Amino acid sequence: MDTATLDTTFAALADPTRRAILSRLTQGDASVGELAAPFAMSQPAVSKHLRVLERAGLVSRGRDAQRRPCSLEARPLREALDWLADFREYWEESYQRLDELLARLEEQDES
């Protein structure tokens, strides 16, 4: 995986507003106004967040007559998840070793 893409994805995900926007887009396309509605911020402020998400490849904007709907682009999320999977395997192995150690200690206590 390209580290620059990964860096951009995680930087975009670092902000709670951008994560909320992505969560909303899992329900389907939405306009800037629709995305701005739940936040106490202006549409231009939401547009700035959308530009960050667009640069990260997480959001695309289409054109539907006067409307410019935003859509979720999940590929960068899949790439981040694939990268994180290595860490999940590490923690699973660590927990498994811990479980084995605890089982041995319990056996010793019972003896």
Side-chain angles (χ1 to χ4, degrees), residues 89-104:
E89 290 172 16
Y90 167 80
W91 284 110
E92 286 175 355
E93 290 172 8
S94 295
Y95 288 134
Q96 189 172 31
R97 287 192 306 272
L98 181 59
D99 286 343
E100 291 166 3
L101 174 63
L102 291 173
R104 284 196 309 269

Side-chain angles (χ1 to χ4, degrees), residues 11-48:
L13 294 173
D15 185 273
T17 301
R18 291 193 285 269
R19 291 192 306 270
I21 289 169
L22 291 176
S23 292
R24 165 52 187 87
L25 290 174
T26 63
Q27 300 169 16
D29 295 355
S31 67
V32 175
E34 292 166 337
L35 293 171
F39 302 106
M41 66 177 67
S42 66
Q43 284 188 11
V46 171
S47 289
K48 286 182 182 181

Side-chain angles (χ1 to χ4, degrees), residues 60-82:
S60 63
R61 292 197 208 191
R63 184 166 299 282
D64 182 18
Q66 299 285 335
R67 191 169 180 260
R68 291 197 42 154
C70 299
S71 301
L72 176 65
E73 300 294 335
R75 184 193 48 78
L77 293 173
R78 170 55 64 190
E79 291 174 3
L81 184 62
D82 290 345

